[in-house]
Amino acid sequence: MHYDVIVVGAGPSGIFASYELSKSNPNLKILLIDKGHSIRQRRCPILENKITKCPPATKKKEYAGCLPACSITAGWGGAGAYSDGKFNLTTEFGGWMQDYLAPSKVMELIEYVDSINLEHGGTTVITDPTTEDVRRIEQKAAGAGLKLLKARVRHLGTEENLKILQNIFQTMENKMDFLFKTYVEDLIVEDQVVRGVRLKNGDEYTADRVIIGPGRDGSEWLSNILKRNGVEMTNNQVDIGVRVETSDVIMQEINKYLYEAKFVYNTSVGTRVRTFCSNPSGHVVVENHSGVMTVNGHSYKDPKMGSKNTNFALLVSHTFTDPFDKPIEFAKEVSRRANDLSNGSVIVQKVGDIYKGRRSTPKRIQEGFLEPTLKEAVPGDLGLVLPYNTMVSLIEMIKALDKVTPGIADEHTLFYGVEAKFYSARPKINDHFETESIKGLYTIGDGAGITRGLAQASAAGVHVARHILQNLNQ
């Protein structure tokens, strides 16, 4: 039951920490634990057209891939497994690793991870953000008060992303131990030194080094565990917004030259809005965060599997100050209100109905020029769910984007809600991502508030692994 290193979380950060450890020192005893399924068992019955909506969290019968954790958000590959698989080679966005490491170091780690993906089947095709066409888009954005964040993007595609994860798992499966469908209840800490983890069933596994790499679905769990063990935390932001769906025709220029455009906008109500996770010819999907339904999107590499619509997120950043210290709970409560008004699903609303201050109805959605790709979304009124500043920010942002890609603020564009990104209050850590109050405990990943996307999450895992390996060799 004793290991050299225990890794909690099989998302990108946990995978690449384990990969680097096992590759560099095959003699290490490594255990990886995740509440979700192995890559071979991850299945979403909605995507397979076997059910029409997520089962309630209280449902005892296990739908394939649904329980004990949603296969869209948990399991080998994390939430990134069923995502669009966009690997952004940049330090300009994607997380906050630069708060701890030099940008050049972060970039070196990202490019190293990219090389591993290529070895396991990643596409060699990559976008070029330095062309004259991109500069023209950037100029139009500046004229609308938008900042364009540019990056080289390697679009893996949902189906290719899953194949890469399967290949990496095959590389690693005989080199370490795994516990899937397993919940970690607490840490084992003695004299401010980590000694292992305690599972929900009472079993204990010991190790001198523990890496916790939860995705955003595990952010609240991480906060609770760290607070319970006296780790000092700093409040962090949550992002609340919507998933926008429009036609490929309207997004044609951006899709062609950028694939994913990252725009940032400062609103009149003092908030900052950003675009996130654009999916040309994509599909809008539901994510189940322990019974809280939010919305996301993805697209396939194979154009035959695509739709005629592009979807992307508009996210409004909310940073809270004293005395409020429950940002994750706040975002989840907003999301629950949308679930309540849509009978356990998510809301879809035409932008034209938002302008008119009325709810969308099935008839109004049907009369629109855009066919929704998420069939289970329920027409409704997001104005009854989203806070005032959030809704104002979203309307200002979509109108600013209309000056860059005309037609996107048209009445037929669809808003799905709620889309929310949860980040834990950030633990106090050093530049190796080791907590200052508990020796041997490392926190990484999106859920820890350190990263925000595939590239930096994976890079953080490699960085921690290299630090552990260096200490073992001393």
Side-chain angles (χ1 to χ4, degrees), residues 153-195:
V153 180
R154 196 181 300 282
H155 175 225
L156 306 174
T158 304
E159 77 279 33
E160 295 300 318
N161 192 37
L162 287 168
K163 289 179 183 178
I164 293 167
L165 288 167
Q166 289 169 351
N167 292 338
I168 293 176
F169 183 75
Q170 288 175 2
T171 299
M172 298 171 60
E173 64 180 330
N174 296 320
K175 298 179 179 179
M176 53 186 290
D177 293 340
F178 301 91
L179 285 176
F180 292 106
K181 298 192 291 184
T182 302
Y183 285 89
V184 172
E185 185 74 19
D186 205 353
L187 299 170
I188 302 172
V189 179
E190 296 176 1
D191 299 324
Q192 301 306 113
V193 177
V194 73
R195 298 300 183 191

Coordinates of all heavy atoms in Angstrom, one line a residue, residues 153-195:
V153 N -2.3 27.1 -32.9 CA -3.3 26.2 -32.4 C -3.2 24.9 -33.1 O -3.2 24.9 -34.3 CB -4.7 26.7 -32.5 CG1 -5.8 25.7 -32.0 CG2 -4.9 28.1 -31.8
R154 N -3.0 23.8 -32.4 CA -3.0 22.5 -33.0 C -4.4 21.9 -32.6 O -4.6 21.5 -31.5 CB -1.9 21.6 -32.4 CG -1.6 20.4 -33.2 CD -0.5 19.5 -32.7 NE 0.8 20.2 -32.5 CZ 1.6 20.5 -33.5 NH1 1.3 20.1 -34.8 NH2 2.8 21.1 -33.3
H155 N -5.2 21.8 -33.6 CA -6.6 21.3 -33.4 C -6.5 19.8 -33.5 O -6.4 19.2 -34.6 CB -7.6 21.9 -34.4 CG -8.9 21.3 -34.3 ND1 -9.7 20.9 -35.4 CD2 -9.7 21.0 -33.2 CE1 -10.8 20.4 -35.0 NE2 -10.8 20.4 -33.7
L156 N -6.7 19.1 -32.4 CA -6.7 17.6 -32.4 C -8.0 17.0 -32.8 O -8.1 16.0 -33.4 CB -6.3 17.1 -31.0 CG -4.9 17.7 -30.5 CD1 -4.7 17.2 -29.0 CD2 -3.8 17.3 -31.3
G157 N -9.1 17.7 -32.4 CA -10.5 17.2 -32.7 C -10.9 16.2 -31.6 O -10.0 15.5 -31.0
T158 N -12.1 16.1 -31.3 CA -12.6 15.3 -30.2 C -12.2 13.8 -30.4 O -11.7 13.1 -29.5 CB -14.1 15.4 -30.0 OG1 -14.5 16.8 -29.8 CG2 -14.7 14.6 -28.9
E159 N -12.5 13.3 -31.6 CA -12.2 11.8 -31.8 C -10.7 11.5 -31.8 O -10.3 10.5 -31.3 CB -12.9 11.3 -33.1 CG -12.2 11.7 -34.4 CD -12.5 13.1 -34.9 OE1 -12.7 14.0 -34.0 OE2 -12.5 13.3 -36.1
E160 N -9.9 12.5 -32.4 CA -8.5 12.2 -32.4 C -7.9 12.4 -31.0 O -6.9 11.7 -30.6 CB -7.8 13.2 -33.4 CG -8.2 13.0 -34.9 CD -7.8 11.6 -35.3 OE1 -6.7 11.1 -35.0 OE2 -8.6 11.0 -36.0
N161 N -8.4 13.4 -30.3 CA -8.0 13.6 -28.9 C -8.2 12.3 -28.1 O -7.3 11.9 -27.3 CB -8.8 14.7 -28.3 CG -8.2 15.2 -27.0 OD1 -7.0 15.3 -26.8 ND2 -9.1 15.6 -26.0
L162 N -9.3 11.6 -28.2 CA -9.5 10.4 -27.5 C -8.5 9.3 -27.9 O -8.1 8.5 -27.1 CB -11.0 9.9 -27.7 CG -12.1 10.7 -27.0 CD1 -13.4 10.3 -27.6 CD2 -12.0 10.5 -25.5
K163 N -8.2 9.2 -29.2 CA -7.2 8.3 -29.6 C -5.8 8.5 -29.0 O -5.1 7.6 -28.6 CB -7.1 8.3 -31.2 CG -8.3 7.7 -31.9 CD -8.2 7.8 -33.4 CE -9.5 7.3 -34.1 NZ -9.3 7.4 -35.6
I164 N -5.4 9.8 -29.0 CA -4.2 10.1 -28.3 C -4.1 9.7 -26.9 O -3.2 9.1 -26.4 CB -3.9 11.6 -28.5 CG1 -3.7 12.0 -29.9 CG2 -2.7 12.1 -27.7 CD1 -3.7 13.5 -30.2
L165 N -5.2 10.0 -26.2 CA -5.3 9.6 -24.8 C -5.3 8.1 -24.6 O -4.7 7.6 -23.7 CB -6.6 10.1 -24.1 CG -6.6 11.7 -23.9 CD1 -8.0 12.1 -23.6 CD2 -5.7 12.0 -22.8
Q166 N -5.9 7.3 -25.5 CA -5.8 5.9 -25.5 C -4.4 5.4 -25.7 O -3.9 4.5 -25.0 CB -6.8 5.3 -26.5 CG -8.3 5.5 -26.2 CD -9.1 5.1 -27.4 OE1 -8.7 4.9 -28.5 NE2 -10.5 5.1 -27.2
N167 N -3.7 6.0 -26.6 CA -2.3 5.6 -26.9 C -1.4 5.9 -25.7 O -0.5 5.1 -25.4 CB -1.8 6.4 -28.2 CG -2.5 5.9 -29.4 OD1 -3.1 4.8 -29.5 ND2 -2.5 6.8 -30.5
I168 N -1.6 7.1 -25.1 CA -0.8 7.4 -23.9 C -1.1 6.4 -22.8 O -0.2 6.0 -22.1 CB -1.0 8.8 -23.5 CG1 -0.5 9.8 -24.5 CG2 -0.4 9.1 -22.1 CD1 -0.8 11.3 -24.2
F169 N -2.4 6.1 -22.6 CA -2.7 5.1 -21.6 C -2.1 3.7 -21.8 O -1.5 3.1 -20.9 CB -4.2 4.9 -21.5 CG -4.7 4.0 -20.4 CD1 -4.7 4.5 -19.1 CD2 -5.1 2.7 -20.7 CE1 -5.1 3.6 -18.1 CE2 -5.6 1.9 -19.7 CZ -5.5 2.3 -18.4
Q170 N -2.0 3.3 -23.1 CA -1.4 2.0 -23.4 C 0.1 2.1 -23.1 O 0.7 1.1 -22.7 CB -1.6 1.7 -24.9 CG -3.0 1.3 -25.2 CD -3.3 1.1 -26.7 OE1 -2.4 1.2 -27.5 NE2 -4.5 0.8 -27.1
T171 N 0.7 3.2 -23.3 CA 2.1 3.4 -23.0 C 2.4 3.2 -21.5 O 3.4 2.7 -21.1 CB 2.6 4.8 -23.5 OG1 2.5 4.9 -24.9 CG2 4.1 5.0 -23.1
M172 N 1.4 3.7 -20.7 CA 1.7 3.8 -19.2 C 1.0 2.7 -18.4 O 1.4 2.5 -17.3 CB 1.1 5.1 -18.7 CG 1.8 6.3 -19.3 SD 0.9 7.9 -18.9 CE 1.0 7.9 -17.2
E173 N 0.1 1.9 -19.0 CA -0.7 1.0 -18.1 C 0.0 -0.1 -17.4 O -0.4 -0.5 -16.4 CB -1.9 0.4 -18.9 CG -1.5 -0.5 -20.1 CD -2.7 -1.0 -20.8 OE1 -3.8 -1.1 -20.1 OE2 -2.7 -1.3 -22.0
N174 N 1.2 -0.5 -17.9 CA 2.0 -1.5 -17.3 C 3.1 -1.0 -16.4 O 3.9 -1.8 -15.9 CB 2.5 -2.5 -18.3 CG 1.4 -3.3 -19.0 OD1 0.4 -3.7 -18.4 ND2 1.5 -3.5 -20.3
K175 N 3.2 0.3 -16.3 CA 4.3 1.0 -15.7 C 3.9 1.5 -14.3 O 4.8 2.0 -13.6 CB 4.9 2.1 -16.5 CG 5.5 1.6 -17.8 CD 6.0 2.7 -18.7 CE 6.6 2.2 -20.0 NZ 7.1 3.3 -20.9
M176 N 2.6 1.5 -14.0 CA 2.2 2.1 -12.7 C 0.8 1.5 -12.3 O 0.3 0.7 -13.1 CB 2.0 3.6 -12.8 CG 1.2 4.1 -14.0 SD 1.2 5.8 -14.3 CE 0.3 6.3 -12.8
D177 N 0.3 1.8 -11.2 CA -1.0 1.3 -10.7 C -2.1 2.4 -10.9 O -1.8 3.6 -10.8 CB -0.9 0.9 -9.3 CG 0.0 -0.3 -9.1 OD1 0.2 -1.1 -10.1 OD2 0.4 -0.6 -8.0
F178 N -3.3 1.9 -11.1 CA -4.5 2.8 -11.3 C -5.6 2.4 -10.4 O -5.9 1.2 -10.2 CB -4.9 2.8 -12.7 CG -3.9 3.2 -13.7 CD1 -3.1 2.3 -14.3 CD2 -3.7 4.5 -14.1 CE1 -2.1 2.6 -15.3 CE2 -2.8 4.9 -15.0 CZ -2.0 3.9 -15.6
L179 N -6.3 3.4 -9.9 CA -7.6 3.2 -9.2 C -8.6 4.1 -9.8 O -8.6 5.3 -9.5 CB -7.5 3.4 -7.7 CG -6.7 2.4 -6.8 CD1 -6.6 2.9 -5.4 CD2 -7.5 1.0 -6.9
F180 N -9.5 3.6 -10.6 CA -10.6 4.4 -11.2 C -11.9 4.1 -10.4 O -12.0 3.2 -9.6 CB -10.8 4.0 -12.7 CG -9.7 4.5 -13.5 CD1 -8.8 3.5 -14.1 CD2 -9.5 5.8 -13.8 CE1 -7.7 3.9 -14.9 CE2 -8.4 6.2 -14.7 CZ -7.6 5.3 -15.2
K181 N -12.9 5.0 -10.6 CA -14.1 5.0 -9.8 C -13.9 5.0 -8.3 O -14.5 4.2 -7.6 CB -15.0 3.7 -10.2 CG -15.4 3.8 -11.7 CD -16.5 2.7 -12.0 CE -15.9 1.3 -11.9 NZ -17.0 0.3 -12.3
T182 N -12.9 5.8 -7.9 CA -12.4 5.8 -6.6 C -12.4 7.2 -6.1 O -11.8 8.1 -6.7 CB -11.0 5.2 -6.5 OG1 -11.1 3.8 -6.9 CG2 -10.6 5.1 -5.0
Y183 N -13.0 7.5 -4.9 CA -13.0 8.8 -4.3 C -11.9 9.0 -3.2 O -11.8 8.1 -2.3 CB -14.3 9.1 -3.7 CG -15.4 9.5 -4.7 CD1 -16.2 8.4 -5.3 CD2 -15.7 10.8 -5.1 CE1 -17.2 8.7 -6.2 CE2 -16.6 11.1 -6.1 CZ -17.4 10.0 -6.6 OH -18.4 10.3 -7.5
V184 N -11.2 10.0 -3.2 CA -10.2 10.3 -2.2 C -11.0 11.2 -1.1 O -11.5 12.3 -1.5 CB -9.0 11.1 -2.7 CG1 -8.1 11.6 -1.5 CG2 -8.2 10.2 -3.6
E185 N -11.1 10.7 0.1 CA -11.8 11.4 1.1 C -10.9 12.5 1.8 O -11.4 13.5 2.2 CB -12.3 10.4 2.2 CG -13.2 11.0 3.3 CD -14.6 11.3 2.8 OE1 -15.0 10.8 1.8 OE2 -15.2 12.1 3.5
D186 N -9.7 12.2 2.0 CA -8.8 13.1 2.8 C -7.3 12.8 2.5 O -7.0 11.7 2.0 CB -9.1 13.1 4.3 CG -8.8 14.4 5.0 OD1 -8.2 15.3 4.3 OD2 -9.1 14.5 6.2
L187 N -6.5 13.7 3.0 CA -5.1 13.5 3.0 C -4.7 12.9 4.3 O -5.3 13.1 5.3 CB -4.3 14.8 2.8 CG -4.6 15.6 1.5 CD1 -4.0 17.0 1.6 CD2 -4.0 14.8 0.3
I188 N -3.5 12.2 4.3 CA -2.9 11.8 5.6 C -1.7 12.7 5.8 O -0.8 12.7 5.0 CB -2.4 10.3 5.5 CG1 -3.6 9.4 5.2 CG2 -1.8 9.9 6.8 CD1 -3.3 8.0 4.9
V189 N -1.7 13.5 6.9 CA -0.7 14.5 7.1 C -0.2 14.3 8.5 O -1.0 14.2 9.5 CB -1.2 15.9 6.9 CG1 -0.1 16.9 7.2 CG2 -1.7 16.1 5.5
E190 N 1.1 14.3 8.7 CA 1.7 14.2 10.0 C 2.8 15.2 10.2 O 3.7 15.3 9.3 CB 2.3 12.8 10.3 CG 1.3 11.6 10.3 CD 2.0 10.3 10.4 OE1 3.2 10.2 10.5 OE2 1.3 9.3 10.4
D191 N 2.7 16.1 11.2 CA 3.7 17.1 11.4 C 4.0 17.9 10.2 O 5.1 18.2 9.8 CB 5.0 16.5 11.9 CG 4.8 15.7 13.2 OD1 4.0 16.2 14.1 OD2 5.5 14.6 13.4
Q192 N 2.9 18.3 9.5 CA 3.0 19.2 8.3 C 3.7 18.5 7.2 O 4.3 19.2 6.3 CB 3.6 20.5 8.7 CG 2.8 21.3 9.7 CD 1.3 21.5 9.4 OE1 0.5 20.9 10.0 NE2 1.0 22.2 8.3
V193 N 3.7 17.2 7.1 CA 4.3 16.4 6.0 C 3.3 15.5 5.5 O 2.7 14.8 6.3 CB 5.6 15.7 6.5 CG1 6.2 14.8 5.3 CG2 6.7 16.6 7.0
V194 N 3.1 15.5 4.2 CA 2.1 14.5 3.6 C 2.6 13.1 3.7 O 3.8 12.8 3.5 CB 1.8 14.9 2.2 CG1 2.9 14.6 1.2 CG2 0.4 14.3 1.7
R195 N 1.7 12.2 4.1 CA 2.0 10.8 4.2 C 1.2 9.9 3.3 O 1.5 8.7 3.3 CB 1.9 10.3 5.7 CG 2.8 11.1 6.7 CD 4.2 10.9 6.4 NE 5.1 11.5 7.3 CZ 6.4 11.7 7.2 NH1 7.0 11.3 6.1 NH2 7.1 12.3 8.1

